[in-house]
Amino acid sequence: MSEPQFAVGDRVRVAAAPPYLKTAEPMPMLRPPDLIALGEEGVVVERKPGGYLGVRFERGAFLIDGQYLERVEAQSPSET
């Protein structure tokens, strides 16, 4: 099974809790994983080598391995 491909601007959801979070800053810091909730949605802001993605959530931007994320399908105007 291949890893899902994400593009900058994709909406994603946390599908599994990572063991820790790394901030997406010039000087990254490790943070506890409870800063984002399982199921929380964010937007991909950058792609990094090794399958890591910079994702902006309500509480900040974090580098997360793509294996912990799933793409959120866009809703059509009739579903809103």
Side-chain angles (χ1 to χ4, degrees), residues 18-36 46 48 52-53 55 59-64:
Y20 61 86
L21 295 172
K22 183 185 271 188
T23 60
E25 299 172 354
M27 187 80 147
M29 295 180 4
L30 294 180
R31 302 294 305 212
D34 62 352
L35 290 177
I36 56 172
E46 65 180 329
K48 295 283 193 173
Y52 283 87
L53 302 165
V55 182
R59 295 185 74 183
F62 301 98
L63 295 175
I64 301 179

Side-chain angles (χ1 to χ4, degrees), residues 6-75:
F6 299 101
V8 172
D10 282 352
R11 288 199 59 78
V12 294
R13 177 182 301 121
V14 179
Y20 61 86
L21 295 172
K22 183 185 271 188
T23 60
E25 299 172 354
M27 187 80 147
M29 295 180 4
L30 294 180
R31 302 294 305 212
D34 62 352
L35 290 177
I36 56 172
L38 197 60
E40 187 169 342
E41 294 183 9
V43 177
V44 176
V45 293
E46 65 180 329
R47 294 181 58 170
K48 295 283 193 173
Y52 283 87
L53 302 165
V55 182
R56 165 106 17 228
F57 293 100
E58 186 176 317
R59 295 185 74 183
F62 301 98
L63 295 175
I64 301 179
D65 192 322
Q67 71 180 342
Y68 298 110
L69 302 170
E70 63 186 10
R71 184 176 290 112
V72 175
E73 297 300 325
Q75 293 183 353

